[in-house]
Amino acid sequence: AVLDAREAARLLVARPDGSLRRASGVPVPVILMGSGPLDGAGAHRLLGRVPAGWLPASARVARAGLAGRVPSSLPGSWIAALRGLLARVRP
């Protein structure tokens, strides 16, 4: 669904798996989320470029996102990683 809206997208968040092939032509930064069958080199090969970064999986963040809300207290290490990545990909 995200790839269908690529014209308006500024950032793509994806899992590190074979679906990254679909993101190879998307001209926005790609952030990988969680674990999967691909390591950094495998993700680079499928994307054709180095991912902008990698965020750890967080069950709390995932549950909140599925519910359409933000939890009142996100894990501090997750927030620090997110802030660092967003600072690198903002125009």
Side-chain angles (χ1 to χ4, degrees), residues 3 6-12 22-30 49:
L3 293 176
R6 66 178 145 219
E7 298 300 321
R10 292 181 160 172
L11 179 69
L12 177 66
R22 294 176 46 210
S24 66
V26 179
V28 298
V30 176
R49 63 188 188 271

Side-chain angles (χ1 to χ4, degrees), residues 35-80:
S35 60
L38 297 176
D39 61 3
H44 183 180
R45 275 193 302 279
L46 285 185
L47 279 174
R49 63 188 188 271
V50 176
W54 207 305
L55 285 172
S58 170
R60 289 173 63 198
V61 173
R63 281 193 305 269
L66 288 172
R69 59 182 170 74
V70 175
S72 61
S73 176
L74 290 169
S77 62
W78 195 89
I79 289 290

